[in-house]
């Protein structure tokens, strides 16, 4: 039987804790994914930290063949606003050995473009931080829009933010970048808070991942344990695996209820900065339904998939 063609993908993270778990989970899918590059953007913590975290995790798990590129150190037009719940380093109290290699010679935007040219019309992009790198790639290389097959983002919300009452963190940090992406014509899947806030890590999941006993499981549990601890000790966010849900949309979309809407992003508002505004009642019939939004999630199905990744894929590695 003909071997199934791998999906070419570039993954852009603001590696923080849930990005780290998403990266670890994705690296267990190299039998399905041709990971052309991994890129880093400023978001949860400054770029120096997100980039080092990303490179160190890729290399600590043995994927030194994957180029890791540094991207934007601040939003397109605004000052960088970081999160506090990922700790100073972005990985809480988790220590990952320093990589022995350098970053890719191209920056993130050019690394995304290079992969798009190599996989004309077939490239998937996962972006789980502010979409600054993607926006720069679109602005710098206008032809990239037809070269990218689909962009999956963790970001936005149909109803109710986590940064403000109106907006989700990634959208709040760089609303201009998200607006450029949504208006570009690229096919976008928005995995927002409406589904990711339903994924608070259950202890049975944490324990089943730990029991897998692989290097990937060990590192993922260290990060998830910090996420649990930060909530208990400091009252920070609970252990929501936001970015893992966005990755899951690529390899296991059946757990998500998806619907296409016309969505734009508020960039002028103060109270509504970064609000992702969907046309639920088709009051703008002249506007193309540009974003496929995740409206609901089969939470049990998601956790069973997540555990399976570490129990089955991890063993096969
Ligand atoms: O709002 C949650 C998102 O913002 C997640 O991607 C988290 O890592 C932060 O980037
Ligand atoms: Ca993130």
């Amino acid at each position: 039987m003909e071997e199934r063609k791998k999906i070419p993908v570039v993954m852009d993270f603001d590696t923080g804790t849930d990005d780290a778990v998403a990266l670890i989970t994705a690296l267990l899918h190299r039998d399905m994914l041709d990971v052309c590059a991994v890129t880093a953007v400023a978001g949860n913590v400054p770029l120096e930290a997100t980039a080092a975290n990303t490179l160190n995790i890729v290399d600590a798990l043995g994927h030194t063949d994957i180029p890791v590129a540094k991207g934007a150190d601040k939003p397109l037009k605004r000052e960088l606003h970081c999160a506090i719940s990922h700790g100073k380093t972005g990985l809480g109290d988790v220590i990952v050995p320093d990589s022995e290699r350098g970053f890719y010679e191209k920056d993130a935007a050019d690394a995304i473009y290079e992969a798009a040219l190599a996989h004309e019309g077939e490239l998937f992009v996962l972006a789980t931080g502010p979409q600054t790198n993607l926006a720069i790639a679109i602005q710098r290389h206008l032809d990239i829009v037809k070269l990218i097959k689909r962009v999956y983002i963790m970001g936005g919300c149909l109803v109710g933010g986590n940064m403000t009452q109106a907006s989700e963190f990634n959208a709040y940090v760089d609303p201009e970048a998200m607006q450029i992406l949504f208006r570009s014509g690229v096919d976008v899947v928005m995995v927002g808070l409406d589904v990711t806030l339903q994924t608070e890590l259950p202890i049975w999941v944490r324990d089943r991942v730990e029991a897998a006993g692989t290097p990937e499981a060990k590192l993922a549990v260290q990060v998830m344990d910090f996420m649990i601890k930060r909530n208990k000790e400091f009252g920070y966010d609970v252990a929501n695996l936001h970015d893992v849900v966005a990755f899951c949309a690529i390899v296991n979309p059946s757990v998500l209820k998806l619907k296409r809407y016309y969505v734009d992003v508020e960039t002028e508002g103060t109270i509504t900065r970064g609000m992702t505004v969907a046309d639920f009642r088709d009051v703008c019939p002249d506007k193309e339904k540009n974003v496929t939004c995740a409206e609901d999630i089969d939470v049990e199905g998601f956790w069973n998939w997540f555990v399976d990744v570490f129990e089955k894929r991890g063993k096969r590695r």
Side-chain angles (χ1 to χ4, degrees):
M1 191 168 82
E2 193 190 296
E3 201 174 277
R4 206 157 59 167
K5 193 164 170 286
K6 291 186 180 183
I7 302 167
V9 64
V10 171
M11 301 187 288
D12 187 62
F13 299 103
D14 63 331
T15 310
T17 53
D18 59 323
D19 303 76
V21 182
L23 173 54
I24 295 164
T25 307
L27 291 173
L28 286 171
H29 284 76
R30 291 192 72 184
D31 59 322
M32 282 176 72
L33 303 176
D34 171 6
V35 181
C36 306
V38 174
T39 58
V41 67
N44 283 318
V45 288
L47 177 68
E48 286 316 305
T50 62
N53 293 338
T54 303
L55 179 63
N56 293 344
I57 290 170
V58 168
D59 286 11
L61 296 177
H63 302 276
T64 52
D65 59 315
I66 298 176
V68 178
K70 287 172 83 168
D73 61 3
K74 66 184 289 296
L76 294 180
K77 293 185 175 171
R78 300 171 187 257
E79 287 313 303
L80 177 62
H81 183 104
C82 294
I84 52 175
S85 57
H86 302 261
K88 203 165 173 306
T89 69
L91 293 180
D93 54 10
V94 177
I95 305 293
V96 182
D98 285 342
S99 160
E100 289 167 10
R101 65 173 169 141
F103 291 101
Y104 191 43
E105 75 262 13
K106 292 181 192 284
D107 72 2
D110 282 351
I112 295 169
Y113 184 55
E114 185 180 57
L117 285 172
H119 297 278
E120 206 170 316
E122 294 303 316
L123 182 71
F124 282 9
V125 179
L126 170 71
T128 64
Q131 295 87 26
T132 317
N133 289 337
L134 263 171
I136 293 170
I138 292 166
Q139 289 179 316
R140 204 185 277 176
H141 307 288
L142 292 174
D143 61 327
I144 198 171
V145 169
K146 64 179 188 314
L147 299 174
I148 291 177
K149 181 166 188 168
R150 192 167 304 128
V151 170
Y152 293 79
I153 66 167
M154 191 283 133
C157 49
L158 293 171
V159 179
N162 62 350
M163 189 63 208
T164 70
Q165 63 268 46
S167 57
E168 177 277 329
F169 177 82
N170 290 328
Y172 177 87
V173 169
D174 199 344
E176 283 76 14
M178 189 181 252
Q179 187 179 72
I180 285 167
L181 175 64
F182 280 17
R183 291 182 176 181
S184 68
V186 169
D187 188 15
V188 177
V189 175
M190 181 179 101
V191 179
L193 298 176
D194 317 277
V195 294
T196 67
L197 285 175
Q198 298 185 49
T199 63
E200 180 179 347
L201 179 72
I203 291 304
W204 72 264
V205 169
R206 177 240 172 261
D207 293 346
R208 287 270 296 276
V209 171
E210 183 176 53
T214 60
E216 291 83 2
K218 187 163 174 283
L219 183 53
V221 166
Q222 284 179 320
V223 175
M224 296 190 293
D225 280 349
F226 168 75
M227 296 173 83
I228 294 166
K229 188 169 84 171
R230 75 184 180 191
N231 174 249
K232 287 206 173 81
E233 288 185 7
F234 314 121
Y236 290 153
D237 314 349
V238 295
N240 278 119
L241 299 187
H242 300 280
D243 297 338
V244 181
V245 184
F247 173 71
C248 180
I250 299 177
V251 295
N252 185 24
S254 63
V255 301
L256 294 174
K257 179 173 172 268
L258 299 166
K259 186 169 180 187
R260 208 154 171 79
Y261 291 105
Y262 159 52
V263 185
D264 205 343
V265 187
E266 177 57 69
T267 58
E268 309 294 329
T270 45
I271 297 175
T272 52
R273 164 183 165 171
M275 184 174 181
T276 43
V277 186
D279 177 13
F280 294 114
R281 298 190 182 85
D282 290 338
V283 295
C284 310
D286 57 321
K287 293 286 187 186
E288 189 218 343
K289 291 182 169 55
N290 57 330
V291 182
T292 301
C293 301
E295 291 193 308
D296 205 355
I297 183 169
D298 164 9
V299 177
E300 189 189 353
F302 169 75
W303 290 123
N304 288 333
W305 163 81
F306 183 66
V307 167
D308 202 51
V309 167
F310 288 88
E311 288 184 342
K312 296 219 179 85
R313 290 180 167 279
K315 297 284 190 211
R316 285 204 317 248
R317 177 174 175 269

